Amino acid sequence: MTAHILLIEDEPSIAEVVEFALTSEGFQVSWRTLVREAEAELAKGSCDLLILDLGLPDGSGLELLKRLRRSSEIPTLILSARNAELDRVLGLELGADDYVTKPFSPRELAARVKAILKRTVRNPPVIDQATVVQGVCSAWFEIDEVRAAIRFHNQTLDLTRYEYLLLKTLLAQPERVFSRGQLMDQVWPDPTASFERSVDTHIKTLRAKLREIAPTLDPIRTHRGLGYSVRIHDDS
Ligand code: CA
């Protein structure tokens, strides 16, 4: 099936280059120049990936992304002339999957789009809590859902509610990369009321607790710009 890409870009010369690069690769591309047009298109729910410029005539791409992430996990690549670290970090924290700076190589852009789509297909966003297997895991971890506890190397971790739910979600699918948005949806009762940075904060405290038990293992991995995963055994 052809992936449908929504391009939001107010500069026609750039839009043409992107459109050409992506249609050459067999993608279907819709091009919009305004935030409000883009939101109308997104509301139809027919797009597989969003390429988003940040400086748009009727608003900011970052604001659009922030609103979008309250209800949608659509893979998003930011394409911006703004190379400030703050924009990058903010864009990724708001849930963008990748960030490409103008000027860019059209072929590289197409390759990145393909990579994002591949990851998303492999990691479907719907997580079935029933797949969390009681008591599983590995020599490293053991979940005790009755007591809402997790043991790591045979020691019960002293976890807060959020840390417990975060780790349980990660353990449900070891090695799978969860975006911050996906973790929020699973763990926080009202994800819209929290900020994705909360995920980072709780991951940090969780890591510290794991480190107390096994100082060198660091089973939680950070995937820059993507999110987190957990490994449950030594892969060396
Ligand atoms: Ca622009």
Side-chain angles (χ1 to χ4, degrees):
M1 202 183 73
T2 316
H4 179 198
I5 295 168
L6 178 62
L7 167 65
I8 311 176
E9 170 63 66
D10 61 321
E11 188 64 56
S13 58
I14 293 174
E16 269 168 35
V17 171
V18 174
E19 205 167 7
F20 181 76
L22 294 176
T23 48
S24 309
E25 295 284 348
F27 294 113
Q28 183 198 339
V29 180
S30 300
W31 171 37
R32 300 287 181 275
T33 52
L34 297 175
V35 169
R36 63 164 189 277
E37 292 174 343
E39 288 186 321
E41 187 65 35
L42 285 163
K44 294 182 196 162
S46 65
C47 304
D48 301 303
L49 184 139
L50 175 66
I51 297 181
L52 179 64
D53 181 21
L54 294 185
L56 294 159
D58 64 336
S60 140
L62 285 177
E63 286 300 320
L64 183 153
L65 181 61
K66 198 168 163 185
R67 284 195 298 278
L68 182 66
R69 278 294 177 256
R70 289 177 193 149
S71 59
S72 164
E73 283 289 337
I74 183 172
T76 300
L77 180 148
I78 293 177
L79 179 61
S80 175
R82 286 150 56 170
N83 192 21
E85 196 190 347
L86 186 65
D87 282 332
R88 250 175 203 278
V89 171
L90 200 55
L92 296 173
E93 275 190 352
L94 287 174
D97 297 274
D98 204 349
Y99 195 111
V100 174
T101 315
K102 298 168 187 168
F104 58 96
S105 141
R107 288 179 66 174
E108 188 193 337
L109 181 79
R112 283 182 187 237
V113 163
K114 278 195 237 169
I116 297 173
L117 286 170
K118 213 164 147 189
R119 283 200 301 263
T120 350
V121 171
R122 218 186 305 133
N123 298 328
V126 179
I127 302 157
D128 182 2
Q129 277 295 343
T131 59
V132 178
V133 185
Q134 166 77 13
V136 193
C137 279
S138 66
W140 288 7
F141 290 99
E142 195 182 343
I143 301 177
D144 181 346
E145 288 202 68
V146 178
R147 291 185 182 80
I150 298 176
R151 278 185 290 279
F152 179 56
H153 284 267
N154 293 322
Q155 293 187 49
T156 302
L157 292 159
D158 181 16
L159 302 176
T160 65
R161 176 184 158 71
Y162 289 141
E163 289 164 355
Y164 167 73
L165 291 172
L166 269 175
L167 187 54
K168 189 175 105 164
T169 303
L170 288 168
L171 284 170
Q173 294 175 58
E175 310 289 339
R176 171 185 161 164
V177 181
F178 289 87
S179 71
R180 290 172 177 81
Q182 287 166 340
L183 289 171
M184 295 223 40
D185 287 345
Q186 291 297 308
V187 172
W188 271 260
D190 178 10
T192 55
S194 316
F195 195 62
E196 294 191 355
R197 217 169 294 201
S198 331
V199 173
D200 299 339
T201 310
H202 291 281
I203 290 279
K204 197 173 161 188
T205 54
L206 189 50
R207 272 194 169 127
K209 290 178 181 178
L210 296 171
R211 203 157 42 229
E212 271 174 31
I213 295 174
T216 55
L217 288 183
D218 203 16
I220 297 177
R221 280 182 180 152
T222 305
H223 301 261
R224 286 195 59 172
L226 297 175
Y228 298 100
S229 69
V230 69
R231 66 196 170 102
I232 59 168
H233 50 72
D234 226 322
D235 45 13
S236 58

